[in-house]
Amino acid sequence: MVFKITPKQQTKINALVRKACCNCYKGNCLLLDDSGETKCVQLISRYGIYCNYFLKAVLPAEKELYTEILWQNGING
C-alpha cells in the first residue's frame, strides 16, 4: 500500500530522510546499493511513501506527521 502525501508533507519527509534515515547517504540508499549509487526512493517520491524502511522505522519518530499521514490515508492507527 502506498501512503499518499501532500507537497507540504513531502518537504517535511525529505528533511526527515536526510536527518534520520541511517540508510540515506548523500541522497543515495544504502539498502538499494548494488555496487553502484542508487538514489533514495523516498527523496525522489513526490506523491507518496514508497520506502517501507522509512515508513516503519523512521516516520513513527515524528508522531504528529505520522498520525496525520495515517489519518488522511484512512488508517486510524
Side-chain angles (χ1 to χ4, degrees):
M1 175 179 195
V2 174
F3 288 87
K4 294 180 181 178
I5 58 173
T6 65
K8 183 179 175 183
Q9 291 167 338
Q10 179 204 12
T11 301
K12 292 178 183 179
I13 286 170
N14 285 354
L16 185 58
V17 168
R18 287 186 175 93
K19 175 184 161 190
C21 183
C22 65
N23 292 308
C24 183
Y25 179 71
K26 294 184 179 180
N28 296 310
C29 180
L30 297 176
L31 290 176
L32 299 175
D33 185 2
D34 58 354
S35 72
E37 293 181 350
T38 304
K39 294 287 182 192
C40 170
V41 171
Q42 199 52 58
L43 288 178
I44 60 175
S45 301
R46 298 168 77 189
Y47 304 108
I49 297 176
Y50 295 94
C51 177
N52 286 327
Y53 179 83
F54 175 78
L55 178 64
K56 295 175 182 178
V58 181
L59 185 57
E62 292 293 324
K63 294 183 192 290
E64 288 182 32
L65 180 60
Y66 183 59
T67 303
E68 179 182 320
I69 290 169
L70 290 180
W71 274 95
Q72 81 186 24
N73 283 277
I75 297 174
N76 300 327

